[in-house]
Amino acid sequence: MKHLICPLCKQPLLATDQGIGCANRHQFDRAREGYFNLLPVQHKNSREPGDARQQLQARRAFLQAGFFSPLMEKLQELIPAETSTLLDIGCGEGYFTQAMSDSHPDAEIYGLDISKAGVRLAARSASDKLPQKITYIVASSYTLPLADSSVDVITRIYAPSKDEELQRVLKPQGKLIIVTPGERHLLALRQQIYRELRPHPKPQAPLGFREDSQQQLSFSLQLPTGDYTRALLQMTPFAWRLTPAILQQIIGNGLQDTADFQLSVYRQV
């Protein structure tokens, strides 16, 4: 936790009897599950920002079944072996964050999400693993509670961020890894929803970064009828566009589709 800073005054956060605090006496208690809430009320855009609990639980069930394991393995490969500090922006329920910790056990890892429900799920699962190498925090990706030039690698999977904040916390020679949907991602599902398909925009380098490499990762998805198809629908933004009849039809038929991702690696200019 040595890289955390106070979200109110930007002073270093140090361990206290109750949790962590800064020299200006701003105190943040450790939650029962083990995470820290570093999201001041003025940084919230709603009462409970981020993904809802039902969506997060669906995502957890789907990911833990291994349907996206090729993406998990590719991410593990892209992270340098010598990484000492990693920040996972938009960690959600912690599936990919935990995988990065498993493949890089000596790294200090921070999992950050604006969704308290997601961070609570992630921290609860991580509490069973010893030694503890992941610090989970509820915070805004637009105001990162980490010190300047403190992180070797930042990963960002389907999450927003602020370019200036990425520049600030990443070390000069650090790596930024961004995962975005490819052109054929869930194409069969989208064809059942939209009359006219719009291609996903090609990833652009964040301000202050240059592209180091870009890879496409595609693999087939064979989802059985029932729970896993329902979980995929619940974890995507598509479900609310479906009528109940079409939703039940897709769940009853299962889904044969394609997972397609762009993995872009950037370095600072």
Side-chain angles (χ1 to χ4, degrees):
M1 298 184 297
K2 61 184 178 181
H3 305 294
L4 292 178
I5 61 173
C6 178
L8 299 172
C9 65
K10 311 305 180 185
Q11 293 297 308
L13 287 172
L14 304 174
T16 67
D17 291 340
Q18 295 79 27
I20 50 179
C22 70
N24 290 326
R25 299 185 178 181
H26 298 131
Q27 175 70 33
F28 304 92
D29 294 343
R30 184 191 294 271
R32 180 178 57 189
E33 294 86 353
Y35 67 89
F36 296 99
N37 190 338
L38 302 183
L39 183 66
V41 65
Q42 60 267 34
H43 292 173
K44 291 185 175 183
N45 52 22
S46 65
R47 184 175 179 180
E48 290 293 337
D51 292 336
R53 183 173 181 177
Q54 182 181 17
Q55 187 177 11
L56 289 157
Q57 289 176 330
R59 173 174 157 167
R60 161 162 286 185
F62 182 88
L63 292 175
Q64 288 188 338
F67 292 108
F68 279 5
S69 58
L71 176 58
M72 176 195 73
E73 293 163 3
K74 179 57 67 175
L75 280 167
Q76 290 173 324
E77 293 173 8
L78 288 174
I79 299 169
E82 64 275 13
T83 297
S84 62
T85 311
L86 182 147
L87 168 64
D88 184 24
I89 293 177
C91 67
E93 82 315 319
Y95 172 79
F96 292 106
T97 320
Q98 186 61 61
M100 296 175 212
S101 181
D102 291 342
S103 62
H104 295 73
D106 295 327
E108 184 173 0
I109 295 181
Y110 296 90
L112 178 149
D113 204 292
I114 200 169
S115 168
K116 187 194 295 187
V119 171
R120 183 183 289 123
L121 279 173
R124 188 178 296 155
S125 295
S127 65
D128 297 331
K129 294 182 177 289
L130 294 173
Q132 291 287 338
K133 286 292 185 178
I134 305 177
T135 300
Y136 282 108
I137 48 181
V138 180
S140 169
S141 61
Y142 294 98
T143 310
L144 298 170
L146 285 106
D148 296 358
S149 302
S150 60
V151 178
D152 293 301
V153 176
I154 297 175
T155 56
R156 198 190 79 185
I157 306 170
Y158 282 35
S161 64
K162 186 177 181 180
D163 295 351
E164 292 82 359
E165 282 292 272
L166 300 176
Q167 294 177 46
R168 182 182 65 80
V169 304
L170 193 64
K171 293 179 181 179
Q173 302 302 316
K175 297 177 71 171
L176 168 64
I177 303 171
I178 296 179
V179 178
T180 53
E183 290 185 6
R184 296 184 58 79
H185 188 59
L186 299 181
L187 180 61
L189 176 59
R190 289 188 290 132
Q191 287 173 335
Q192 297 184 62
I193 299 172
Y194 301 102
R195 290 184 177 181
E196 181 179 350
L197 292 180
R198 296 180 181 178
H200 292 294
K202 293 187 179 298
Q204 300 293 320
L207 182 67
F209 289 85
R210 59 176 173 79
E211 184 181 299
D212 195 40
S213 67
Q214 190 171 105
Q215 300 182 38
Q216 182 181 11
L217 175 67
S218 297
F219 51 92
S220 63
L221 286 176
Q222 305 289 332
L223 302 185
T225 61
D227 290 344
Y228 289 127
T229 298
R230 179 183 291 107
L232 175 64
L233 292 170
Q234 289 175 337
M235 66 183 265
T236 69
F238 303 138
W240 67 273
R241 301 185 68 97
L242 295 169
T243 65
I246 295 177
L247 183 67
Q248 291 305 315
Q249 179 182 334
I250 294 174
I251 293 171
N253 292 338
L255 189 66
Q256 295 186 10
D257 212 327
T258 300
D260 186 24
F261 301 101
Q262 292 285 339
L263 295 94
S264 305
V265 180
Y266 302 99
R267 294 188 184 273
Q268 296 199 57
V269 174

